[in-house]
PDB file of all heavy atoms in Angstrom:
ATOM      1  N   ASP D  26       6.776  10.065 -10.468  1.00  0.00           N
ATOM      2  CA  ASP D  26       7.208   9.251  -9.349  1.00  0.00           C
ATOM      3  C   ASP D  26       6.058   8.879  -8.423  1.00  0.00           C
ATOM      4  O   ASP D  26       6.278   8.234  -7.395  1.00  0.00           O
ATOM      5  CB  ASP D  26       8.283   9.990  -8.548  1.00  0.00           C
ATOM      6  CG  ASP D  26       9.518  10.298  -9.388  1.00  0.00           C
ATOM      7  OD1 ASP D  26       9.881   9.435 -10.210  1.00  0.00           O
ATOM      8  OD2 ASP D  26      10.099  11.379  -9.224  1.00  0.00           O
ATOM      9  N   ALA D  27       4.858   9.289  -8.760  1.00  0.00           N
ATOM     10  CA  ALA D  27       3.695   8.992  -7.911  1.00  0.00           C
ATOM     11  C   ALA D  27       3.186   7.600  -8.247  1.00  0.00           C
ATOM     12  O   ALA D  27       2.261   7.424  -9.042  1.00  0.00           O
ATOM     13  CB  ALA D  27       2.608  10.042  -8.107  1.00  0.00           C
ATOM     14  N   VAL D  28       3.806   6.578  -7.629  1.00  0.00           N
ATOM     15  CA  VAL D  28       3.509   5.195  -7.997  1.00  0.00           C
ATOM     16  C   VAL D  28       2.071   4.807  -7.674  1.00  0.00           C
ATOM     17  O   VAL D  28       1.515   3.894  -8.298  1.00  0.00           O
ATOM     18  CB  VAL D  28       4.488   4.230  -7.293  1.00  0.00           C
ATOM     19  CG1 VAL D  28       5.887   4.408  -7.846  1.00  0.00           C
ATOM     20  CG2 VAL D  28       4.482   4.459  -5.787  1.00  0.00           C
ATOM     21  N   LEU D  29       1.452   5.467  -6.706  1.00  0.00           N
ATOM     22  CA  LEU D  29       0.073   5.129  -6.371  1.00  0.00           C
ATOM     23  C   LEU D  29      -0.884   5.468  -7.509  1.00  0.00           C
ATOM     24  O   LEU D  29      -1.964   4.894  -7.624  1.00  0.00           O
ATOM     25  CB  LEU D  29      -0.359   5.859  -5.098  1.00  0.00           C
ATOM     26  CG  LEU D  29       0.324   5.397  -3.800  1.00  0.00           C
ATOM     27  CD1 LEU D  29      -0.145   6.247  -2.632  1.00  0.00           C
ATOM     28  CD2 LEU D  29       0.042   3.929  -3.529  1.00  0.00           C
ATOM     29  N   ILE D  30      -0.498   6.446  -8.355  1.00  0.00           N
ATOM     30  CA  ILE D  30      -1.334   6.816  -9.494  1.00  0.00           C
ATOM     31  C   ILE D  30      -1.174   5.802 -10.616  1.00  0.00           C
ATOM     32  O   ILE D  30      -2.126   5.481 -11.324  1.00  0.00           O
ATOM     33  CB  ILE D  30      -0.981   8.229  -9.972  1.00  0.00           C
ATOM     34  CG1 ILE D  30      -1.309   9.253  -8.877  1.00  0.00           C
ATOM     35  CG2 ILE D  30      -1.724   8.579 -11.262  1.00  0.00           C
ATOM     36  CD1 ILE D  30      -0.937  10.667  -9.230  1.00  0.00           C
ATOM     37  N   TYR D  31       0.037   5.284 -10.783  1.00  0.00           N
ATOM     38  CA  TYR D  31       0.312   4.354 -11.875  1.00  0.00           C
ATOM     39  C   TYR D  31       0.233   2.912 -11.375  1.00  0.00           C
ATOM     40  O   TYR D  31       1.203   2.163 -11.439  1.00  0.00           O
ATOM     41  CB  TYR D  31       1.682   4.649 -12.482  1.00  0.00           C
ATOM     42  CG  TYR D  31       1.751   6.020 -13.114  1.00  0.00           C
ATOM     43  CD1 TYR D  31       2.344   7.080 -12.446  1.00  0.00           C
ATOM     44  CD2 TYR D  31       1.193   6.260 -14.364  1.00  0.00           C
ATOM     45  CE1 TYR D  31       2.386   8.349 -13.012  1.00  0.00           C
ATOM     46  CE2 TYR D  31       1.233   7.511 -14.936  1.00  0.00           C
ATOM     47  CZ  TYR D  31       1.833   8.554 -14.253  1.00  0.00           C
ATOM     48  OH  TYR D  31       1.868   9.801 -14.810  1.00  0.00           O
ATOM     49  N   SER D  32      -0.923   2.525 -10.891  1.00  0.00           N
ATOM     50  CA  SER D  32      -1.139   1.174 -10.375  1.00  0.00           C
ATOM     51  C   SER D  32      -1.099   0.161 -11.517  1.00  0.00           C
ATOM     52  O   SER D  32      -1.604   0.411 -12.609  1.00  0.00           O
ATOM     53  CB  SER D  32      -2.482   1.090  -9.646  1.00  0.00           C
ATOM     54  OG  SER D  32      -2.517   2.005  -8.569  1.00  0.00           O
ATOM     55  N   LYS D  33      -0.513  -1.005 -11.226  1.00  0.00           N
ATOM     56  CA  LYS D  33      -0.363  -2.049 -12.241  1.00  0.00           C
ATOM     57  C   LYS D  33      -0.998  -3.366 -11.819  1.00  0.00           C
ATOM     58  O   LYS D  33      -0.694  -4.409 -12.382  1.00  0.00           O
ATOM     59  CB  LYS D  33       1.124  -2.271 -12.544  1.00  0.00           C
ATOM     60  CG  LYS D  33       1.847  -1.048 -13.082  1.00  0.00           C
ATOM     61  CD  LYS D  33       1.292  -0.613 -14.427  1.00  0.00           C
ATOM     62  CE  LYS D  33       2.060   0.586 -14.978  1.00  0.00           C
ATOM     63  NZ  LYS D  33       1.533   1.026 -16.299  1.00  0.00           N
ATOM     64  N   GLY D  34      -1.871  -3.298 -10.826  1.00  0.00           N
ATOM     65  CA  GLY D  34      -2.525  -4.511 -10.363  1.00  0.00           C
ATOM     66  C   GLY D  34      -3.986  -4.272 -10.062  1.00  0.00           C
ATOM     67  O   GLY D  34      -4.413  -3.144  -9.826  1.00  0.00           O
ATOM     68  N   MET D  35      -4.774  -5.321 -10.057  1.00  0.00           N
ATOM     69  CA  MET D  35      -6.211  -5.235  -9.817  1.00  0.00           C
ATOM     70  C   MET D  35      -6.517  -4.551  -8.485  1.00  0.00           C
ATOM     71  O   MET D  35      -7.348  -3.645  -8.411  1.00  0.00           O
ATOM     72  CB  MET D  35      -6.810  -6.649  -9.831  1.00  0.00           C
ATOM     73  CG  MET D  35      -8.302  -6.701  -9.557  1.00  0.00           C
ATOM     74  SD  MET D  35      -8.862  -8.414  -9.297  1.00  0.00           S
ATOM     75  CE  MET D  35      -8.350  -9.186 -10.829  1.00  0.00           C
ATOM     76  N   VAL D  36      -5.843  -4.973  -7.437  1.00  0.00           N
ATOM     77  CA  VAL D  36      -6.083  -4.407  -6.116  1.00  0.00           C
ATOM     78  C   VAL D  36      -5.627  -2.954  -6.073  1.00  0.00           C
ATOM     79  O   VAL D  36      -6.326  -2.073  -5.557  1.00  0.00           O
ATOM     80  CB  VAL D  36      -5.356  -5.231  -5.032  1.00  0.00           C
ATOM     81  CG1 VAL D  36      -5.545  -4.594  -3.660  1.00  0.00           C
ATOM     82  CG2 VAL D  36      -5.864  -6.666  -5.023  1.00  0.00           C
ATOM     83  N   GLY D  37      -4.449  -2.683  -6.629  1.00  0.00           N
ATOM     84  CA  GLY D  37      -3.924  -1.325  -6.640  1.00  0.00           C
ATOM     85  C   GLY D  37      -4.822  -0.355  -7.383  1.00  0.00           C
ATOM     86  O   GLY D  37      -5.013   0.787  -6.949  1.00  0.00           O
ATOM     87  N   LYS D  38      -5.399  -0.799  -8.489  1.00  0.00           N
ATOM     88  CA  LYS D  38      -6.277   0.066  -9.274  1.00  0.00           C
ATOM     89  C   LYS D  38      -7.567   0.365  -8.514  1.00  0.00           C
ATOM     90  O   LYS D  38      -8.072   1.495  -8.558  1.00  0.00           O
ATOM     91  CB  LYS D  38      -6.586  -0.587 -10.618  1.00  0.00           C
ATOM     92  CG  LYS D  38      -5.386  -0.634 -11.566  1.00  0.00           C
ATOM     93  CD  LYS D  38      -5.712  -1.365 -12.860  1.00  0.00           C
ATOM     94  CE  LYS D  38      -4.492  -1.398 -13.777  1.00  0.00           C
ATOM     95  NZ  LYS D  38      -4.754  -2.163 -15.023  1.00  0.00           N
TER      96      LYS D  38
END
Side-chain angles (χ1 to χ4, degrees):
D26 299 322
V28 292
L29 291 177
I30 296 177
Y31 297 100
S32 301
K33 299 296 182 180
M35 179 190 303
V36 177
K38 290 177 180 177

